[in-house]
Amino acid sequence: MKFIINREEILLPLQQIVSVIEKRQTMPILSNVLMVIEGDQLTLTGTDLEIQIIAKINIATADPGSITVPARKFLDICRLLPNGAEIKFELQDDKVKIASSRSRFSLSCLPADNYPEFAESELENHLFINAGKFKKALDKTVFCMANQDVRYYLNGLLLNVSNSKLKLVASDGHRLSIYEDNLDQPTGFESRIILPRKGVLELSRLLDDPEAELKVEFSSNNIRIFIKNLIFSAKLVDSKYPDFGKVFQQEFFNQIHIQKQFLKEALTRVAILANEKFKGVTFDISPGSLKMSTHNPEHDEAEEELVIEYTGEPLTIAFNAQYLLDAVSNLDSELAVLTIASNASSCFIDEPGDCGYKFIVMPMRL
Amino acid sequence: MRIRSLPTQLVNQIAAGEVVERPSSVVKELVENCFDAGASQISIEIEQGGARLIKIRDNGCGIIKDDLPLALSRHATSKIASLKDLEQVVSMGFRGEALPSISSVSRLTLISRISDADCAWKVVADGSEQDFDPQPDPHPPGTTIDVRDLFYNTPARRKFLKTEKTEYVHIETLIKRMALSRFDIGFTLSHNQKEMLNLKPAATETEREQRIAGICGTAFIENSIKIDFAASGLQLTGWVGLPTFSRSQQDMQFFYVNGRLVRDKLVSHAVKQAYQDVLFHGRHPVFVLYLTLDPALVDVNAHPAKLEVRFREGRLVHDFLFSALHRSLADLRPGHGIIQQSATESPPQTQVVQNVGWQNDSATQQSTPGFDNKPVYSLRPPLPLHVEETVQAYASLYPKPEPVAQVQPEAKPLGHAIAHLHNIYILSETAAGIILVDAHAAHERVTYERLKQQYQNGAVPSQPLLLPIKIKVSAAEADLAEQEQAFFTSLGFELNRAGPETIVLRSIPALLGNTDMETLIRDVLADMAEHGMSRRIQEKSNEILATVACHGSVRAHRRLTIDEMNALLRDMEQTERIGQCNHGRPTWIELSTGDLDKFFLRGQ
């Protein structure tokens, strides 16, 4: 096996692959990247057994073959070679020789036969989506995913396709974000799958070109997404996503309109003196005015007052400032719209008008 | 098969199966009889681990000649007379089974003389409860019981006996434990004609401590504090080991309820909780504790060997034990600040539970000549509701700073910092010697106690859940969760029943944001079913506060200035449970001038 490649051609795919490879491994081969040459195509594969990324690169001069090499070391070598360097890669006996102008490296490697196969069942559902649109959907939802919750289905993202409607939902049990959009082509099927947390974060990193068209294939166990020369595959979380519909079926107070920037700044300042473990901040809302206040166990106190657009009954509600900040920061508009359920049991945050996404934050009882 | 009544001897042998398990159980029953007879000196002779001979002699009240045959009959006793007596047993025994059971599996001789009789009388019994023929005998006032060839007629039991040595060790352990319960009685124990134990009656505090040291080792007395708490008609006295003096096994835990050694789940649970967060992982505390309460509030008729008891007011007893021990561990701090405080403050003397039926009624007293003077609870004035600790115990723990001339103007218990060694340990000079402090561990405890205080004072913020957590439990647990809703609400939970075997968690305490709620709730319910209460939620919050404290404390290797170190030492003097960090590691050690002198052979 032998090939010559320009540093620039291999560096980016290699970086994308290495990010799924766990640093510490019990199976040594999993810290390696699989390299296969068939015809004039080089295929790089990295996996952690839950997610797999495959990159395909066209090369001119190559002898076919396959091998696995330590991913991080190979990446570091390529990364630290000068711009535009020609990299010569050659398998000799059980070593891989890498040469570029005056640099010589010899890497220990493991045979490709032992590289774990990523089991995929037949993927019966297909859809096409623009990468920019999908990236936005992910951005509006990923921050609400739970991390290492015992309710493992919350450590992921719900992807709900219903003919031409796409819905993404993430929640950690305390807050929820929901994003809805229309697909360009009707898919003709209805399905709900849960993408694992790590997969979602990796995927979102791969969607750097907003113009690209994605082909998404999935079954109830697996998902595969074609992103230009990359193929991203992941195992799905095998569970039912909890029913969150009830939160919409309640009465609400009038909408509160607040300048997003002012709200963010005021919240950040007030939160300095909130309890550092759960950042409780109390909102006293009355027509035209929002007073937020907090205190902590050391008896420090903070207060801020904001001008808001609100007509209706005065009300008092408390929030974890961090949850509110996360939600408000993800709004695109200048104006934030807060809609509070009439029994003060939840708060909806979105933009004025129809924006396709919504954040729900549960209040606290202080 | 026809139904017939069994011969008396067989009935007794069946009873013996429960009570007489091995030689040490015979000794236990007989020594308890000596206690009930008001003896002040008991001698026990053992041969071949008790298999050949157990001979117990006391100088108690003795048995009248005419009662001797009765004493050896089933369900005949002088200790109780009515159901009312049974409900408030003040004697060790009451079942009237021990002697006939023992006599049915051994060759038993009973010799007894009451003080004003002309001579002693002797009877031999075989468990058949007939043909008693009292013979005169030259025996001093008191009773001797001679049990030979235990299990001679029940070979199956005999086969289960362990080696002579093992059986003897069981007896010796038992005698030691019983000796701890009655300091006013002298004990001698001999094995194969060799004297093994000789404990004199201990009247003074020092003699008592000597007896304890003889049984639990001198290290125990040196590393324990004496406690004396009383509240709501309960009194707890005794010695508890410092958290640093722990053991890997639960073998040095003696708990006496009204003078009776018990192993009770409720008690061990309360003790375990009191030692929470001061004991190093996997270690067990040591203690010798005496709980005294109205006999009517404890049911001893729960176990044939009376190892378990039932408290009528289990929760009250649990809370009392927990708070008494928790308090005494919290007050362990350098110097004796707490003692001075409790001496000056006059403790509130409110609410004392009426001690109904506390003393024996006079009728029982007359019929039981041996008991009137002994039991410690018989004539106690209503217990005041205050806490006091014994100054001497503290003084022996922390040598009083002698006013040495050249030290700083005011002598602080932890002295004044001199240096920060390796940027980890604070070296401090005190009046009595030097102290080394692990700065991180000590600061961790200071921060932790402060945080706990702050959180306990405020309301409990709760976080409603967008996606409620459904928990499948048993129907009984769901009932319990419903019943204890007030308890859960007070801690920031909102629990509802959603079905016969489902509960739904709608709010959680904000502090416990990321913990596994399902497991926590299950554990709490299990605790409640078992002990009637649970402190798991508090423990969980404390764990989180401990992590916060750990991160918020100065790290090892951060250089501290002298002023910073002195400030830490002063904080330590004010902090509860300062002896250990949150994980049970010690925070400071002391080397007295005496110790230092020893290193250099000064003054020798």
Side-chain angles (χ1 to χ4, degrees), chain B residues 312-500:
Chain B
R312 299 260 144 85
E313 302 273 349
R315 222 180 241 214
L316 176 78
V317 172
H318 186 283
D319 289 350
F320 171 71
L321 290 177
F322 170 75
S323 56
L325 293 175
H326 195 250
R327 201 65 250 137
S328 55
L329 292 172
D331 291 341
L332 281 176
R333 64 186 74 172
H336 351 260
I338 194 69
I339 298 161
Q340 285 142 14
Q341 194 188 338
S342 60
T344 49
E345 262 175 39
S346 95
Q349 302 238 358
T350 49
Q351 184 238 340
V352 172
V353 165
Q354 270 285 279
N355 299 320
V356 190
W358 185 250
Q359 286 101 18
N360 296 333
D361 58 325
S362 49
T364 334
Q365 250 173 354
Q366 277 158 12
S367 66
T368 56
F371 308 154
D372 49 358
N373 52 347
K374 280 300 166 265
V376 276
Y377 36 79
S378 60
L379 271 171
R380 188 173 289 282
L383 299 165
L385 241 182
H386 74 266
V387 170
E388 66 177 13
E389 266 120 322
T390 313
V391 184
Q392 302 97 287
Y394 269 103
S396 67
L397 268 178
Y398 304 106
K400 245 200 177 74
E402 308 272 326
V404 186
Q406 74 275 49
V407 201
Q408 317 287 346
E410 37 177 348
K412 299 283 189 188
L414 284 179
H416 293 271
I418 294 174
H420 200 195
L421 308 176
H422 295 281
N423 294 347
I424 300 175
Y425 304 106
I426 297 172
L427 174 68
S428 161
E429 182 177 4
T430 63
I434 60 166
I435 281 177
L436 284 170
V437 177
D438 179 338
H440 172 67
H443 192 224
E444 199 175 341
R445 171 60 77 176
V446 171
T447 327
Y448 176 48
E449 290 297 329
R450 197 176 291 153
L451 279 173
K452 276 206 289 193
Q453 202 91 44
Q454 286 166 351
Y455 276 85
Q456 275 157 14
N457 291 340
V460 185
S462 116
Q463 168 75 62
L465 296 176
L466 180 67
L467 306 169
I469 303 176
K470 267 201 191 117
I471 307 175
K472 290 261 175 225
V473 292
S474 70
E477 283 174 325
D479 286 344
L480 194 64
E482 258 189 328
Q483 259 172 44
E484 299 286 347
Q485 237 170 18
F487 165 79
F488 282 110
T489 313
S490 71
L491 292 169
F493 285 96
E494 191 188 329
L495 271 179
N496 296 123
R497 186 138 186 193

Side-chain angles (χ1 to χ4, degrees), chain A residues 308-337:
Chain A
I308 56 169
E309 276 176 51
Y310 170 69
T311 50
E313 293 287 304
L315 66 126
T316 301
I317 190 166
F319 294 102
N320 181 329
Q322 194 55 51
Y323 291 167
L324 219 51
L325 274 174
D326 285 349
V328 173
S329 311
N330 275 289
L331 293 176
D332 295 332
S333 63
E334 289 301 305
L335 218 54
V337 178

Side-chain angles (χ1 to χ4, degrees), chain A residues 147-151 153-154 171-176 241-244 247 275-278 297-299 320 323 345-346 360 362-366, chain B residues 451 454-455 457 459-469 492-494 506-508 510-519 544-545 547-548:
Chain A
N147 192 3
Q148 298 185 338
D149 199 293
V150 279
R151 292 167 288 171
Y153 44 82
L154 293 184
S171 172
D172 62 2
H174 299 166
R175 60 209 171 134
L176 182 137
Y241 207 76
D243 178 28
F244 50 86
V247 75
N275 185 312
E276 55 182 301
K277 207 64 201 171
F278 48 79
E298 289 97 52
H299 304 292
N320 181 329
Y323 291 167
S345 65
S346 52
I360 303 168
M362 293 301 277
M364 270 169 104
R365 276 183 231 127
L366 287 179
Chain B
L451 279 173
Q454 286 166 351
Y455 276 85
N457 291 340
V460 185
S462 116
Q463 168 75 62
L465 296 176
L466 180 67
L467 306 169
I469 303 176
F493 285 96
E494 191 188 329
R506 295 190 188 280
S507 298
I508 58 168
L511 185 63
L512 300 183
N514 283 328
T515 33
D516 180 355
M517 284 301 152
E518 196 175 328
T519 322
I544 288 173
L545 294 182
T547 323
V548 175

Side-chain angles (χ1 to χ4, degrees), chain B residues 85-116:
Chain B
D85 293 342
L86 180 61
E87 280 166 358
Q88 41 178 312
V89 177
V90 292
S91 52
M92 299 297 285
F94 56 86
R95 298 165 73 98
E97 284 182 334
L99 282 180
S101 311
I102 296 168
S103 70
S104 70
V105 290
S106 67
R107 301 183 215 277
L108 183 139
T109 314
L110 167 63
I111 312 167
S112 188
R113 173 173 169 191
I114 56 170
S115 53
D116 48 2

Side-chain angles (χ1 to χ4, degrees), chain B residues 22-27 45-54 147 150-151 161-172 189-193:
Chain B
R22 57 184 350 150
S24 71
S25 19
V26 174
V27 176
E45 281 173 44
I46 306 294
E47 274 176 35
Q48 293 180 5
R52 186 182 155 85
L53 171 75
I54 298 170
V147 178
L150 187 63
F151 300 138
L161 288 186
K162 300 277 187 299
T163 60
E164 181 182 327
K165 182 140 193 286
T166 317
E167 293 300 340
Y168 170 71
V169 168
H170 277 288
I171 294 174
E172 192 184 277
L189 171 66
S190 63
H191 187 215
N192 296 340
Q193 276 96 45

Side-chain angles (χ1 to χ4, degrees), chain B residues 527-541:
Chain B
D527 275 1
M528 290 193 139
E530 177 96 21
H531 307 289
M533 56 83 67
S534 174
R535 288 186 48 83
R536 240 173 238 277
I537 297 165
Q538 288 95 322
E539 279 170 26
K540 202 84 198 173
S541 340

